[in-house]
Amino acid sequence: MSVSAIEVIKAISDKLRALKYPVKDVDITKEIPRPCLALEADGISDSKAAVGLDGESINLTLYYFAQRREKSYIDLLKCQKDVKQMLNGAVEIVKGFYTTVGELDFNISKSDMALIATFEVYTVQGVDEDTGIEPGVEAELMEELAVNWRDEL
């Protein structure tokens, strides 16, 4: 199975929901229902990690908008602590596939009562260089042919 940005975002969103944060798919440039947590992929790039290994770098931004704009600073700090603990160490994306998060940067906007976290997730997956088929996936191979050579000199 190939793991993409979709599975990474879904896994992180599910972990945040398990911590009782309201994860919603919202346009952060418009009015936002509060409290609200949104996760966006800001950039995705593919690379060859090594021979037989494909890499994918996913830049993510997490936005948490506290319940009240007037006085929710403690809520933002609690969310920061929870996100840091959740992303510390290996994060299971799908059964048997784990990744780690790179540098985790936090910003708190007191005027918006919002927490903004940016981080990168890098995944590496094996791919058979000769066929381009993922390991463990069965592929139909060519049949072996017997060839009889006649030397006509």
Side-chain angles (χ1 to χ4, degrees):
M1 171 187 194
S2 179
V3 174
S4 70
I6 295 167
E7 287 85 14
V8 171
I9 292 169
K10 183 179 179 327
I12 292 173
S13 295
D14 289 348
K15 290 181 185 318
L16 290 164
R17 280 187 191 96
L19 293 172
K20 305 296 185 218
Y21 287 100
V23 180
K24 299 175 183 170
D25 186 16
V26 295
D27 182 354
I28 63 162
T29 61
K30 298 184 177 166
E31 189 61 32
I32 298 160
R34 290 173 177 263
C36 173
L37 192 143
L39 188 62
E40 291 184 353
D42 294 328
I44 301 169
S45 58
D46 293 326
S47 65
K48 288 284 184 199
V51 175
L53 296 175
D54 282 344
E56 185 175 52
S57 176
I58 308 160
N59 294 316
L60 295 166
T61 302
L62 179 145
Y63 301 92
Y64 176 67
F65 299 93
Q67 176 73 42
R68 294 184 309 266
R69 285 182 191 243
E70 305 80 37
K71 52 178 184 177
S72 294
Y73 188 68
I74 298 297
D75 292 343
L76 298 178
L77 293 175
K78 181 184 178 314
C79 181
Q80 178 178 339
K81 177 184 169 201
D82 291 345
V83 168
K84 188 187 293 186
Q85 285 178 341
M86 182 193 76
L87 296 176
N88 188 20
V91 178
E92 186 172 27
I93 303 302
V94 294
K95 185 172 171 71
F97 188 93
Y98 294 83
T99 190
T100 57
V101 171
E103 190 173 320
L104 186 56
D105 292 318
F106 291 99
N107 253 333
I108 291 180
S109 169
K110 285 187 176 181
S111 61
D112 292 326
M113 257 331 138
L115 171 71
I116 303 166
T118 57
F119 55 98
E120 178 185 36
V121 174
Y122 188 68
T123 62
V124 177
Q125 302 173 74
V127 174
D128 185 343
E129 285 293 317
D130 294 332
T131 63
I133 298 171
E134 296 175 33
V137 175
E138 290 190 32
E140 194 172 306
L141 302 175
M142 291 178 51
E143 293 180 22
E144 289 185 31
L145 300 176
V147 178
N148 293 324
W149 292 95
R150 279 193 264 171
D151 209 11
E152 296 188 21
L153 286 177

